[in-house]
Amino acid sequence: MSAPAALLARQVLPGGGTGLRSQLLLAGVCAAYGVGAALDWGSHEVALVMGDFGLSAAALIAAVSCFLYARARQSRFRPAWLLFALSSAMASGGNAVWGWYEVVLDREVPSPSVADLFFLCFAPPAIVGLLVLAKRPVTRAGWVCLALDAWLIGGSLLTLSWSLALAHTAHVQGESVAPAALALAYPLLDIVLVSMVLALHFRRSSTNRSAVNTAIAALALTVLCDALFTSPLLRESYRSGQLLDAGWFAGSLLLAYAPWGARRTVEPTRAPRGPRHPSRPVAGSLAALTPYLAAAVCTLGILYNVIEGRRVDRVVVLTGCTVVLALVVRQGIMLLDNIALTHELAQKENHFRSLVQGSSDVIMIAAPTGILRYVSPAASGVYGREAEELIGSELASLIHPEDLGRVVHEVRRFLAAPPAEEPTTRIECRFRSGTGDWLNVESTVNRHQGGLIFNSRDVTERVRLQAQLQHNAEHDPLTDLPNRALFTERVRQALTGRRAGDSGTAVLFIDLDGFKGVNDRLGHQAGDELLIQAARRLQDSVRTGDTAARLGGDEFAALIIGDGSRDQSAREYQVTEIADRLRLTLSQPYRIDGSEVRVAASIGVAFAEPGITPTDLMRNADLAMYRAKAAGKDRVELYAPQMQAEVVRRSELAARLRSALHEGEFALLHQPVVSLATGRVAAVAAQARWRSAQGILFTPAEFLRVADATDTQEGTRTAELGRWLLEEAVEQAAERGRLGHDVPVSVRLSARRLLDKSLPHGSIEALLTRHGLASGALIIELADSDPRISFDDLEQRLVALRRLGVRIALDGFGSGYAAINALRRLPVDLLKLDRGLVEGVVESARLHKITAGLLRIACDLGMQSVADGVDVPEQVLALRAMGCTHGQGMAFSGALDEYRLRRALVRDEFPVPGGIALPVLTGGAFPARNGSNNETRVPPT
């Protein structure tokens, strides 16, 4: 027994006391009674009292104990304890009557007497109670065998007892029937009780085994004392209070202790010490030998009569014949039962063999030494090796060397664990196949006679699928480069591994400039091919140990592992050189479907710092990449702390911008469009300004850029601002018209906004009608068109607006091929020169010629022209000389509020440098566009 189990055996249970203390108390009381009986209790009178009334009291205690236990417990054994209580009550009554004659009446007990009646009634309830405690057979044959076993035991004991003593007793008492029957009743009932005790020993139930064993021991002790009392030698010299009474006393107290003592003890749990070979139970062997032992006892009884030269008694012959007949019947039943069991076993074995041989799993049995003793035929299909080839080989020689240590450790751990807690385990390893390849095998392992049973199956395809799924989860499906999740994990490993703190580790964020144009012109399939080629170039350009990844869309990244160098400047130069080489490599022409495609690469670089997290390092590289795109693209930028500060400032500005429109923080200004010939105001260009809480006016270029960069829904904020600008401009122009200032107003709208569903076709007409503004007084300034916008839809929209009387101006003329295409397709009334041409028209002879050519085109098409950004008199003279009709800029006036604008309209003339007079512009001009991205205050007039 293990130490914990021994400790549990002495555990104190709820209810008071301990099992050991109760047992010691019981043993002490019995020993005291035995010592008193051995000393004859000191006097004849005390011996009679203790021998009669003492036994009666002990039996009464047993009766009360069993009765109370039966009432307290609800179980199928309750009738047995009630019967034991009745049996003990009969014994108590018999001893009380016996004492009445000997102690109270002071005379011998007559034979027969009432005491004999009580004593004879002791055995039947006890016999029936033992039958209740016995394990009940489940078949009729089982009941027959139980009855035969009881008769075999009882008949054998009767034969032996009759031969030794009972025949003599019957002969002596033969003159009187009653004394003879009484003399034989006691031993016969004891024989039946002994038979039931022995039969119960082999068939007792496992439930509450401790109480059952104690009760059997108590009844066995009582029967033994009865047998000694009925023997002729002790019967003649027996007196109450002698040592034989101590056995009856102990049996009664032991029966009283049986139910309660069993509840007060905890049976120790035996922890297994590894695998053990199964042993045949002794009780099962004795049960199988019971018929033969009974026949042997019967034979001994007959031999005794022969050896003594006695005539064989008819009782012996009759009992012996019935015992032999019972043995023959029992053996016949057992033979039929064995035939049925053998047939059933053969069927189960065939069924098991068919299951094993037909199973797709391989079943292997390994001896404790690791040698394979059995391999199922499925091995040929799973392993590609015949079962006979594997039998006798060592299991370790078939397992991959890299997996062998792990398998051995798991097997040892499994064998050391208690079988009840861990009956099986699962092992996965690589197994050598017949072709020499390694298969991934999963095995369920069970214990088997000190060895192991392996139920194995090939899971190679499952392992490959899991590996493929893991690869797909960590890699980009198009380029097969690591995706964002795996790249982030690689960055984390680089920052926390053995190179933690290495400031030479860098992250590169790469964006392909112009990729969206490739998608729009050539289609998404060509774009995917470009991404694949770019990924291949990136993978070939990074060093071994570095990581190239695709983060999504046209964004790539690279992790450059530091070399441990402490020279930070040299390391920055080296990484910058790597980044610039990547930029040049990715900017080389791509060959797609026979065409040459070019894109550029903007790269941001961020270096690791002590304590930086992977998220922060990747964010820094992202900021540097966006700085590279904002600075002109196709360049490399290193991260600087002020980039984060700029992001914070932009975020704060965007947060204020979200509420600025609803809180009335936007103001509408107008910039005059002046005739270059007369200096008169031909139109006004509406421009929005945002007056922040700090009193600063932000230009459109500043707050629109913030809105587009931070709004989660593209263009939501600028669309809302565009609707406000259009409505405010129309409302104020109508108010000026009522005051006599009939000057057209131009409002700048992008092509995307014109096609937006939030601005339906009838909305502008309804706006003009609502405010009472003539349709000819509104000019829509078409901003640079998005190449993704359909020219057909845009043309239909502009034609509808012109039918209303709204004039269309083309902004940014001369800034790209889209302007020429728009001039060819769209219904345009006015052309507005791009600010970039106007700024260099005086200094650059090349720009001078380009501007002159564009103005000739406008003149040939019969269109008015407006120069945006005319800031100095020299530009006025040059433009007027080239045929430009109108100008807008600081050479005349900046953006004016409503009060200053009305003063200017009253004056209706700005000074213009001298020259030849030209026709006055009768339409309007495009609204001016402030090219500065800086915060400016309201300019003076």
Side-chain angles (χ1 to χ4, degrees):
M1 184 184 299
S2 62
L7 221 74
L8 285 173
R10 297 192 297 270
Q11 178 177 328
V12 179
L13 294 180
T18 63
L20 182 60
R21 186 179 302 172
S22 301
Q23 294 170 7
L24 292 177
L25 179 61
L26 177 64
V29 172
C30 294
Y33 190 94
V35 171
L39 299 177
D40 205 14
W41 297 102
S43 68
H44 178 67
E45 291 76 10
V46 176
L48 291 177
V49 173
M50 295 302 296
D52 295 333
F53 292 109
L55 293 181
S56 178
L60 182 61
I61 292 174
V64 173
S65 174
C66 293
F67 178 75
L68 293 178
Y69 179 76
R71 290 196 59 183
R73 297 292 297 271
Q74 296 292 335
S75 67
R76 74 179 187 90
F77 297 126
R78 182 183 181 187
W81 297 106
L82 289 174
L83 289 169
F84 291 154
L86 178 59
S87 178
S88 299
M90 294 297 103
S92 177
N95 284 298
V97 173
W98 198 283
W100 176 263
Y101 282 105
E102 286 191 337
V103 177
V104 178
L105 301 181
D106 193 18
R107 64 186 179 88
E108 290 186 3
V109 181
S111 182
S113 65
V114 180
D116 293 321
L117 179 61
F118 278 109
F119 288 140
L120 289 176
C121 291
F122 166 79
I127 293 172
V128 179
L130 290 174
L131 286 174
V132 174
L133 290 179
K135 185 184 296 184
R136 299 177 181 178
V138 295
T139 62
R140 294 181 179 178
W143 283 104
V144 173
C145 288
L146 176 61
L148 291 175
D149 287 344
W151 171 243
L152 286 172
I153 297 172
S156 301
L157 293 177
L158 177 60
T159 301
L160 184 59
S161 301
W162 191 274
S163 299
L164 295 177
L166 295 183
H168 175 70
T169 301
H171 178 72
V172 171
Q173 303 290 343
E175 296 81 4
S176 177
V177 177
L182 187 61
L184 294 177
Y186 284 111
L188 291 178
L189 288 175
D190 287 340
I191 289 174
V192 175
L193 194 56
V194 170
S195 301
M196 293 310 305
V197 168
L198 292 176
L200 178 61
H201 176 71
F202 300 127
R203 294 179 177 269
R204 66 184 183 276
S205 175
S206 59
T207 306
N208 204 6
R209 179 172 295 182
S210 177
V212 174
N213 289 338
T214 307
I216 291 175
L219 294 176
L221 182 58
T222 303
V223 170
L224 176 61
C225 294
D226 287 346
L228 294 175
F229 172 74
T230 56
S231 65
L233 296 177
L234 292 180
R235 180 67 179 270
E236 298 175 356
S237 59
Y238 172 77
R239 297 192 317 274
S240 295
Q242 290 185 342
L243 191 59
L244 187 59
D245 292 345
W248 282 314
F249 183 83
S252 296
L253 291 186
L254 194 60
L255 184 61
Y257 168 79
W260 306 102
R263 294 180 64 197
R264 301 166 70 88
T265 57
V266 178
E267 295 192 11
T269 302
R270 296 183 179 271
R273 299 177 180 270
R276 295 183 180 180
H277 297 284
S279 59
R280 182 177 300 172
V282 177
S285 302
L286 292 176
L289 292 176
T290 299
Y292 307 101
L293 293 175
V297 170
C298 190
T299 303
L300 289 176
I302 297 175
L303 288 177
Y304 177 79
N305 283 281
V306 174
I307 293 173
E308 290 292 327
R310 299 176 182 174
R311 181 174 60 86
V312 179
D313 195 280
R314 285 177 296 178
V315 176
V316 174
V317 174
L318 181 61
T319 306
C321 290
T322 55
V323 168
V324 173
L325 180 61
L327 178 61
V328 172
V329 174
R330 189 185 189 283
Q331 287 302 107
I333 294 175
M334 294 301 297
L335 179 60
L336 294 176
D337 194 29
N338 287 337
I339 293 174
L341 289 176
T342 303
H343 180 67
E344 183 180 356
L345 181 62
Q347 287 183 338
K348 290 184 178 179
E349 183 178 357
N350 291 334
H351 180 64
F352 172 75
R353 188 178 300 277
S354 63
L355 288 177
V356 171
Q357 293 181 351
S359 174
S360 60
D361 292 354
V362 181
I363 298 176
M364 301 183 296
I365 300 178
T369 58
I371 304 298
L372 293 176
R373 298 188 305 189
Y374 172 80
V375 179
S376 66
S380 59
V382 177
Y383 299 148
R385 307 177 68 172
E386 296 298 329
E388 293 77 9
E389 178 186 350
L390 293 174
I391 295 175
S393 59
E394 290 189 6
L395 184 61
S397 63
L398 305 175
I399 299 176
H400 196 284
E402 295 179 1
D403 300 339
L404 183 58
R406 176 172 52 84
V407 172
V408 171
H409 174 75
E410 175 62 20
V411 168
R412 289 176 177 173
R413 185 202 63 77
F414 171 65
L415 292 177
E421 296 180 5
E422 191 172 4
T424 63
T425 188
R426 191 178 298 273
I427 295 176
E428 187 170 331
C429 63
R430 285 168 287 181
F431 201 88
R432 187 188 300 276
S433 67
T435 59
D437 298 330
W438 294 102
L439 303 175
N440 293 92
V441 175
E442 182 186 67
S443 302
T444 303
V445 186
N446 298 78
R447 300 173 179 85
H448 176 70
Q449 297 182 358
L452 296 171
I453 295 181
F454 292 84
N455 193 343
S456 306
R457 61 206 64 88
D458 183 10
V459 293
T460 304
E461 290 302 322
R462 189 196 72 187
V463 172
R464 290 176 181 172
L465 178 60
Q466 289 177 343
Q468 184 63 40
L469 292 176
Q470 182 70 20
H471 180 84
N472 294 343
E474 295 179 342
H475 290 77
D476 175 56
L478 179 64
T479 63
D480 203 39
L481 289 179
N483 58 14
R484 183 181 293 272
L486 182 57
F487 183 76
T488 304
E489 177 62 21
R490 296 276 178 86
V491 174
R492 186 192 63 78
Q493 293 175 359
L495 296 180
T496 58
R498 59 186 180 88
R499 294 184 179 274
D502 187 353
S503 58
T505 298
V507 170
L508 280 61
F509 265 44
I510 306 162
D511 185 82
L512 299 182
D513 304 320
F515 173 74
K516 292 182 179 179
V518 175
N519 266 345
D520 296 334
R521 294 195 310 272
L522 303 180
H524 289 279
Q525 186 173 358
D528 290 345
E529 179 61 29
L530 188 148
L531 291 175
I532 293 173
Q533 295 185 25
R536 191 178 302 118
R537 293 184 186 183
L538 179 61
Q539 184 67 50
D540 295 339
S541 299
V542 298
R543 306 169 306 174
T544 303
D546 296 340
T547 300
R550 182 191 177 204
L551 305 183
D554 59 344
E555 290 189 358
F556 295 84
L559 172 64
I560 309 299
I561 302 298
D563 56 4
S565 174
R566 296 188 177 182
D567 191 347
Q568 185 65 21
S569 60
R571 181 57 180 166
E572 288 186 4
Y573 176 78
Q574 181 184 8
V575 173
T576 304
E577 193 175 35
I578 293 174
D580 200 55
R581 187 171 66 251
L582 284 176
R583 181 186 64 81
L584 294 175
T585 301
L586 295 174
S587 301
Q588 294 297 319
Y590 296 86
R591 198 74 181 173
I592 299 175
D593 296 335
S595 301
E596 190 176 90
V597 179
R598 289 179 178 271
V599 294
S602 297
I603 302 178
V605 182
F607 287 91
E609 301 173 357
I612 194 171
T613 64
T615 303
D616 291 341
L617 180 58
M618 295 172 63
R619 181 206 61 199
N620 294 345
D622 196 22
L623 290 175
M625 184 264 290
Y626 277 107
R627 172 57 67 88
K629 292 176 70 67
K633 304 180 180 179
D634 193 19
R635 58 188 293 132
V636 176
E637 285 284 344
L638 300 182
Y639 169 78
Q642 57 266 29
M643 294 181 184
Q644 179 63 21
E646 182 180 350
V647 170
V648 173
R649 190 186 73 86
R650 243 187 0 249
S651 299
E652 294 175 351
L653 185 62
R656 298 203 308 267
L657 179 62
R658 292 187 183 97
S659 59
L661 186 61
H662 300 286
E663 294 179 359
E665 295 183 6
F666 276 94
L668 186 63
L669 304 181
H670 295 83
Q671 189 172 27
V673 178
V674 179
S675 171
L676 296 184
T678 63
R680 296 187 62 185
V681 178
V684 292
Q687 298 178 0
R689 292 290 189 274
W690 174 28
R691 187 184 301 275
S692 67
Q694 291 76 20
I696 300 174
L697 277 179
F698 292 98
T699 62
E702 174 71 10
F703 60 74
L704 291 180
R705 179 172 60 86
V706 171
D708 286 333
T710 58
D711 210 320
T712 55
Q713 297 180 349
E714 182 183 0
T716 300
R717 199 64 57 194
T718 52
E720 187 178 358
L721 181 60
R723 289 193 295 270
W724 175 85
L725 175 64
L726 179 62
E727 185 162 357
E728 286 291 317
V730 170
E731 182 180 1
Q732 292 187 19
E735 180 67 24
R736 287 194 298 271
R738 284 190 288 271
L739 295 176
H741 304 297
D742 296 325
V743 180
V745 60
S746 66
V747 180
R748 187 174 185 269
L749 294 176
S750 67
R752 178 178 293 277
R753 299 292 167 254
L754 282 174
L755 296 178
D756 193 351
K757 294 182 179 180
S758 63
L759 190 67
H761 290 185
S763 62
I764 294 180
E765 182 179 13
L767 183 64
L768 296 175
T769 304
R770 184 168 68 251
H771 293 288
L773 181 67
S775 59
L778 176 63
I779 303 171
I780 297 297
E781 179 184 339
L782 183 64
D784 296 338
S785 62
D786 192 327
R788 293 172 292 183
I789 295 297
S790 171
F791 267 103
D792 295 334
D793 296 340
L794 184 59
E795 182 180 5
Q796 294 178 5
R797 180 72 172 120
L798 294 179
V799 169
L801 289 175
R802 289 191 70 187
R803 289 197 188 103
L804 295 176
V806 178
R807 284 179 287 176
I808 307 300
L810 183 62
D811 183 27
F813 187 66
S815 61
Y817 72 92
I820 301 298
N821 194 26
L823 186 63
R824 181 177 64 86
R825 297 278 306 274
L826 302 178
V828 178
D829 299 304
L830 307 170
L831 293 180
K832 186 174 182 179
L833 292 178
D834 184 75
R835 171 180 288 271
L837 295 176
V838 176
E839 288 177 348
V841 72
V842 177
E843 293 84 2
S844 173
R846 187 180 184 86
L847 290 179
H848 189 281
K849 293 180 180 180
I850 293 174
T851 305
L854 295 175
L855 290 173
R856 279 196 299 271
I857 292 175
C859 182
D860 293 341
L861 293 176
M863 297 180 182
Q864 299 289 345
S865 56
V866 179
D868 184 17
V870 181
D871 296 333
V872 294
E874 291 81 4
Q875 293 173 343
V876 175
L877 294 174
L879 290 169
R880 188 172 60 182
M882 286 185 281
C884 183
T885 59
H886 295 79
Q888 171 187 345
M890 297 301 296
F892 306 107
S893 172
L896 305 176
D897 59 15
E898 188 65 20
Y899 173 75
R900 293 187 177 91
L901 176 61
R902 292 179 183 180
R903 289 178 54 190
L905 292 177
V906 171
R907 189 171 62 245
D908 193 24
E909 187 176 358
F910 287 94
V912 178
I916 302 174
L918 295 176
V920 179
L921 181 65
T922 58
F926 286 96
R929 181 176 58 175
N930 194 333
S932 173
N933 289 333
N934 299 322
E935 297 175 350
T936 59
R937 301 189 181 275
V938 178
T941 58

